[in-house]
Amino acid sequence: MANLYVQVFKKLDRAYDQTIHPQKRLDMKGALEACMGRMLEVKLNKGLDFPSLDDVLVDMKLAPEVLELPCPAYFREDRAKELEERNKFLGALADKYTVSGLPEPGPLPELAPLPEEEAIILIQANERGRQARERAQTMRTFKRQRQLEDRRARSGVVLTQEKAAIRIQAGVRGLLTRLQVHRTAQEELQFIGMKPKVTVAGSLDPQAQQQLTVLRRKEVQRQRLSDYEEAVITLKAKVKDAEGQAMRETVQDKINAWFLENRDPESGEYPGFPDDGSRIILNPPPPPPPPAPAAVGKKGAKKAPEKPKAKGKGKGKLSLRVAEEEKTEVTVSSAFVGDLEAAVKLFVEKWQDHPEGANALAQKHEPDLVRLELRPLVFEEVRLQVDEEMRVLLENLKDMVEAERAAKSGKKGKTKKAKKGKKGKKGKEGKGKGKKKKDPTAERSLEALYAELVSNGIIKPCPAKPLEDYLGTVNFLGSVLQSQGLIPDPSCAEMRQALTQYCIYPLASQYCHLKAPLMKSVLLYGAPKTGKTSLCQSTAHAAGANFFDLSPRNTDAKYPGKVVALMIHMVFKVAKVMAPSLIYIDEIEKVFVSDKKRSKEFGGSEAFNRIKKELVKEMKGVGSEEQVLLVGCSAAPHMCVKKDEKAFINFFDKHLYLPLPDYASRLAIWPRVIGRHGGEVDAKFDYSTLAHISEGYSSGTIDQVVRSMITPRRLSRMASAKLSMAEALQWLCRAEPTSKDLLEALQAWTDKTPARVALTQKEEPAAAGKGKKGGKDEGKGKKKKK
């Protein structure tokens, strides 16, 4: 089912991205977001963060790319102006305070320089070798020429000028023929699609031409949307002028009729105005259905529902067992199904049989449909205005009835306004007694708070890193390992899917954030250089979110002492107001370490756990309406022990483990990373062997090796001397693989996470149930034998 929703979501995303008609895009967006939420809902209902679907792909004959979840472009395109202004403001502040983003990893450390004597000996040896190779090449050429002359002298054939010309002509004709055959073969391969076409000078590359087409389509979409928004304003005013008065009279007549129907005939008092206004008057709820007649016996007693009769003892126990299993069935939540069905029904009813006519090519908005959509909005505005007027009228009518009653009895009518005023004052005084949390930054503007956080390096510019830069493929043996009772580590492709579903979709879509299960904090843990920080930046970029860096090393010596509470308050206040926002904390395990001796080993002018108390307090105050996500990164989560470990685990809603890339992922990483840095390999370069040898190395280490290998000087010689296997292995030997002890500690800590504990608890009862069942059967068999 999850795979089906993924396919539908991809098609909806492609259709929404390529549609120009503004009204169709708005109706399509509802179905797109509902499908997005349903995908997340199905995955959460299963309780698996990384389900293995490789067997499903094999059965359905699909490629692994089918499961890749796209990041919809409208996350950033719909907020293009807002993001552009924000980036300009942030860039100006960053230049003013000389603030830069997160530091990029550098090349491998250089080796220690050789002593002078060893360096001279090495240079001399290389120079002697070079001279010997040149002498050998000269002697080889001389020997070959001598052999050719001796062969001619022995044969006695004299090569005349005419014969030499004939041989040269034959050689040239053969060369031209071979070139023609080769050219024809290449053209045939291009024609059947086995080889890409060669770009001719002066013509556009197909990818560049497609990019230009996309840009033109985006420009037309923006123009059509602008025309639609202007039409909504003008047509709304026209509908209000033409039909507003009739709507007002209709509402007034129905309210007046309701007043007369519900007036007390004896006292003449008018009813109170409904709290929801005239909505319940205009659309009264349907009357409740009559109670169903009960089955009556001979003596008038109700018949009890008949119980199913069990035939035999064994069958009765079986029926009870089935009933118990039916009771324990897990109900699957479906918060998005209704919205998805409603969005599809609306689109089909509105656009399936709608005649395009002359608007088939222009794809402009439909004025008649705009008027139909605006009438309920105009009616609601008129209704609210009439409600205010009728409330005042009702108060006046009540005062008149009270005055008439007082005149008949000869007493003065008491005004209710004074009483109401007194009650209102008491209510205010009562509310004022409750304690409210004081805002220490209430008098400061949002721009001032934002500028202060930028000046301290807490708000940082986020680089444009697409999520696809986190390279890796699917684990093709996941289902096989699960069938053997093993829980495989997530693959790189599954990690991309999990981040897209748990972080990007709820953070970028307010609709999905409100209706999906609340996800306030996510932990990314794994060995060093596995891409945790890069994934945080990709998440913030894809969602168009602000990037806050609350890492202990980044905030060290900033806001010292008790002022740290002000820093945390400012961060969360700005993050909530300028949502969506992502709060990034590196080395977050050190924030939860309470041991003072151990915290001193971390370095820094102040303890790293100084932000823990305020951080936990502020995270409790984050509600479902606020698009704020905290992402913690940890390379040593096992550092927290005992009560610190419990608090650390319970602080996060999701725990995602980033493992080392497997063989298939390394086989995809090496060529992509070498190509990204501008490298070219020779014909003998074996990526398969290199991927096998680099087992135990993280993706960040592989990138660091390639960056160190392809220097600007080496890049300038790439055309004449391409990269060889020996050169790559020479640089790979300088890097250190990940420690096996660290991997074992991370795996042991993974078994303590709530998701892994839930999986193991599900497997244990199943195994225990099989054992009990076998024991009972054996017991029964023994009794029968007796």
Side-chain angles (χ1 to χ4, degrees):
M1 183 182 290
N3 184 27
L4 179 62
Y5 278 113
V6 170
Q7 301 308 310
V8 174
F9 176 72
K10 283 186 174 182
K11 292 179 181 179
L12 282 174
D13 180 43
R14 196 179 304 114
Y16 178 79
D17 188 58
Q18 296 180 1
T19 303
I20 294 176
H21 199 290
Q23 291 165 285
K24 288 182 181 179
R25 295 188 85 229
L26 291 176
D27 293 337
M28 203 180 295
K29 187 177 179 180
L32 179 62
E33 292 199 329
C35 185
M36 181 198 308
R38 182 58 181 165
M39 275 196 312
L40 178 59
E41 191 176 47
V42 168
K43 190 168 184 179
L44 290 174
N45 285 332
K46 289 185 177 181
L48 297 174
D49 292 334
F50 307 104
S52 297
L53 301 175
D54 49 297
D55 54 344
V56 178
L57 294 176
V58 173
D59 294 340
M60 299 181 68
K61 298 180 180 179
L62 297 175
E65 292 76 15
V66 171
L67 297 177
E68 288 290 336
L69 296 178
C71 294
Y74 76 88
F75 285 164
R76 296 183 61 86
E77 289 176 357
D78 291 357
R79 302 170 52 225
K81 290 184 179 179
E82 176 193 346
L83 293 177
E84 185 179 359
E85 293 175 358
R86 189 188 74 189
N87 291 334
K88 284 183 179 178
F89 183 57
L90 178 58
L93 291 175
D95 293 339
K96 179 180 179 182
Y97 298 110
T98 62
V99 175
S100 60
L102 295 175
E104 293 289 337
L108 292 173
E110 296 182 359
L111 299 175
L114 293 173
E116 186 176 353
E117 294 181 359
E118 293 183 10
I120 292 173
I121 294 172
L122 183 62
I123 292 172
Q124 289 176 349
N126 287 331
E127 180 61 23
R128 291 192 188 108
R130 185 188 65 80
Q131 293 177 4
R133 286 191 295 273
E134 286 186 357
R135 286 196 300 270
Q137 182 65 25
T138 305
M139 293 300 296
R140 196 180 298 113
T141 305
F142 177 74
K143 187 184 290 185
R144 192 182 301 115
Q145 187 69 23
R146 186 68 177 269
Q147 290 175 355
L148 182 60
E149 292 176 358
D150 292 344
R151 194 181 306 118
R152 287 177 183 173
R154 284 195 302 269
S155 62
V157 178
V158 180
L159 188 63
T160 62
Q161 187 174 3
E162 184 178 357
K163 290 182 179 180
I166 292 172
R167 289 189 180 184
I168 292 172
Q169 289 175 359
V172 171
R173 289 194 187 99
L175 177 61
L176 294 176
T177 305
R178 287 192 296 272
L179 290 176
Q180 181 63 28
V181 171
H182 179 72
R183 193 179 304 112
T184 305
Q186 296 300 317
E187 291 176 357
E188 185 178 354
L189 290 174
Q190 292 176 8
F191 177 75
I192 63 177
M194 296 292 291
K195 190 175 182 181
K197 293 183 179 180
V198 180
T199 56
V200 183
S203 63
L204 282 176
D205 183 59
Q207 294 182 352
Q209 191 171 2
Q210 182 187 7
Q211 189 66 26
L212 290 176
T213 305
V214 171
L215 293 176
R216 284 196 297 269
R217 184 171 64 241
K218 295 298 180 185
E219 184 62 31
V220 175
Q221 286 177 353
R222 284 192 288 268
Q223 184 61 38
R224 295 291 183 269
L225 182 61
S226 177
D227 297 342
Y228 170 71
E229 292 173 349
E230 293 177 0
V232 166
I233 297 173
T234 55
L235 290 175
K236 186 177 181 180
K238 290 180 180 179
V239 171
K240 196 168 187 179
D241 294 339
E243 305 176 18
Q245 187 60 32
M247 294 177 181
R248 176 181 291 274
E249 293 175 359
T250 302
V251 176
Q252 288 177 346
D253 293 342
K254 289 190 176 183
I255 295 176
N256 288 329
W258 185 82
F259 284 165
L260 296 176
E261 290 175 1
N262 294 275
R263 186 180 182 186
D264 192 350
E266 297 179 359
S267 62
E269 292 184 355
Y270 288 93
F273 206 76
D275 296 334
D276 295 337
S278 60
R279 186 181 290 109
I280 195 172
I281 299 173
L282 300 174
N283 300 312
V296 182
K298 291 182 180 179
K299 296 182 180 181
K302 295 181 180 178
K303 290 184 179 180
E306 295 183 358
K307 295 182 180 179
K309 295 180 180 180
K311 296 181 181 180
K313 293 182 181 179
K315 291 186 179 180
K317 291 181 180 179
L318 181 62
S319 62
L320 290 173
R321 193 181 303 162
V322 171
E324 289 178 359
E325 290 178 358
E326 290 178 354
K327 287 181 182 179
T328 57
E329 284 184 357
V330 180
T331 57
V332 178
S333 60
S334 56
F336 296 92
V337 173
D339 294 346
L340 183 58
E341 292 176 349
V344 173
K345 183 179 179 182
L346 173 66
F347 191 88
V348 170
E349 291 178 352
K350 186 187 288 188
W351 300 107
Q352 187 170 12
D353 298 327
H354 181 75
E356 294 286 349
N359 196 29
L361 294 177
Q363 291 294 302
K364 295 183 178 180
H365 62 274
E366 304 283 346
D368 296 336
L369 292 177
V370 176
R371 290 191 184 91
L372 290 175
E373 295 170 356
L374 290 175
R375 281 195 182 96
L377 300 177
V378 174
F379 183 82
E380 184 66 17
E381 291 182 3
V382 172
R383 187 188 67 80
L384 294 175
Q385 294 176 1
V386 174
D387 286 357
E388 294 297 326
E389 297 173 0
M390 298 307 287
R391 281 192 178 94
V392 176
L393 176 62
L394 183 61
E395 292 295 329
N396 295 335
L397 291 173
K398 287 182 178 180
D399 291 343
M400 289 175 59
V401 171
E402 188 70 25
E404 290 178 2
R405 188 184 301 157
K408 289 180 181 179
S409 60
K411 296 180 181 180
K412 294 183 180 180
K414 296 181 182 179
T415 58
K416 295 182 181 180
K417 292 182 179 179
K419 290 182 179 179
K420 284 185 179 180
K422 290 179 181 179
K423 286 181 182 178
K425 287 181 181 178
K426 287 181 181 179
K428 288 180 180 178
E429 290 174 1
K431 288 181 181 178
K433 291 179 181 178
K435 291 184 179 179
K436 291 184 178 180
K437 186 179 178 181
K438 293 183 179 179
D439 185 1
T441 60
E443 297 180 356
R444 300 182 61 183
S445 64
L446 182 65
E447 290 79 4
L449 297 177
Y450 190 87
E452 182 176 341
L453 291 175
V454 173
S455 65
N456 287 300
I458 296 176
I459 296 180
K460 293 185 176 181
C462 185
K465 287 186 176 181
L467 193 63
E468 292 76 16
D469 285 354
Y470 183 73
L471 304 173
T473 58
V474 179
N475 183 7
F476 295 99
L477 297 176
S479 59
V480 176
L481 294 174
Q482 284 185 355
S483 64
Q484 299 297 326
L486 302 174
I487 303 176
D489 289 334
S491 62
C492 298
E494 290 172 340
M495 184 56 62
R496 288 196 301 269
Q497 297 171 22
L499 273 175
T500 304
Q501 286 186 312
Y502 295 143
C503 300
I504 297 177
Y505 287 168
L507 189 61
S509 173
Q510 188 176 9
Y511 166 80
C512 188
H513 184 79
L514 289 172
K515 300 201 71 173
L518 185 60
M519 197 78 62
K520 298 192 293 184
S521 54
V522 176
L523 174 67
L524 302 180
Y525 66 98
K529 300 178 183 179
T530 49
K532 299 181 288 292
T533 299
S534 180
L535 286 175
C536 291
Q537 294 175 336
S538 300
T539 301
H541 171 71
N546 295 284
F547 191 81
F548 296 81
D549 186 3
L550 266 181
S551 303
R553 297 196 186 279
N554 184 50
T555 58
D556 190 30
K558 300 172 185 176
Y559 299 94
K562 295 183 178 180
V563 193
V564 69
L566 177 65
M567 177 186 69
I568 302 296
H569 171 76
M570 288 169 57
V571 167
F572 277 86
K573 181 179 180 179
V574 176
K576 291 176 183 178
V577 175
M578 299 190 67
S581 301
L582 186 143
I583 301 174
Y584 161 80
I585 304 180
D586 195 15
E587 298 179 311
I588 194 170
E589 75 280 356
K590 296 177 181 178
V591 175
F592 286 82
V593 173
S594 58
D595 189 2
K596 294 183 178 179
K597 292 182 179 179
R598 198 167 189 181
S599 60
K600 289 181 181 178
E601 299 174 359
F602 303 151
S605 58
E606 295 193 32
F608 282 7
N609 60 1
R610 65 189 184 117
I611 66 173
K612 176 184 174 182
K613 181 179 178 182
E614 296 297 327
L615 184 65
V616 173
K617 188 187 299 183
E618 290 289 346
M619 283 301 296
K620 288 181 180 178
V622 176
S624 58
E625 304 85 8
E626 291 140 355
Q627 291 173 263
V628 178
L629 178 67
L630 186 143
V631 181
C633 297
S634 174
H638 50 276
M639 190 177 291
C640 298
V641 294
K642 296 181 180 179
K643 62 177 183 179
D644 296 339
E645 182 183 56
K646 185 178 180 181
F648 183 56
I649 292 177
N650 295 334
F651 180 75
F652 295 98
D653 299 324
K654 278 290 174 187
H655 309 77
L656 303 179
Y657 175 48
L658 275 72
L660 297 179
D662 55 3
Y663 171 78
S665 296
R666 294 194 301 274
L667 191 59
I669 288 172
W670 275 107
R672 288 285 299 275
V673 173
I674 291 175
R676 185 188 301 168
H677 291 283
E680 297 179 9
V681 298
D682 57 16
K684 296 181 180 180
F685 200 93
D686 190 357
Y687 282 116
S688 179
T689 303
L690 187 60
H692 182 72
I693 294 174
S694 58
E695 182 180 2
Y697 289 85
S698 64
S699 54
T701 304
I702 293 175
D703 183 74
Q704 193 177 24
V705 168
V706 175
R707 190 185 297 108
S708 304
M709 179 171 56
I710 306 178
T711 59
R713 183 183 175 187
R714 182 67 181 85
L715 195 61
S716 63
R717 298 188 297 110
M718 194 65 65
S720 58
K722 297 182 179 181
L723 296 175
S724 63
M725 190 71 180
E727 188 177 1
L729 292 176
Q730 180 183 2
W731 283 96
L732 183 63
C733 292
R734 296 189 182 185
E736 294 184 0
T738 306
S739 170
K740 292 184 178 180
D741 296 337
L742 176 60
L743 295 177
E744 292 175 358
L746 290 171
Q747 196 64 46
W749 194 86
T750 303
D751 295 336
K752 301 178 184 179
T753 56
R756 185 61 62 89
V757 170
L759 282 176
T760 53
Q761 287 178 352
K762 284 182 182 178
E763 293 174 358
E764 288 176 0
K770 290 180 181 178
K772 289 180 181 178
K773 188 175 180 180
K776 287 181 180 179
D777 292 342
E778 290 174 2
K780 288 179 183 177
K782 288 179 181 178
K783 287 180 181 178
K784 286 181 181 179
K785 286 179 181 178
K786 287 180 181 179

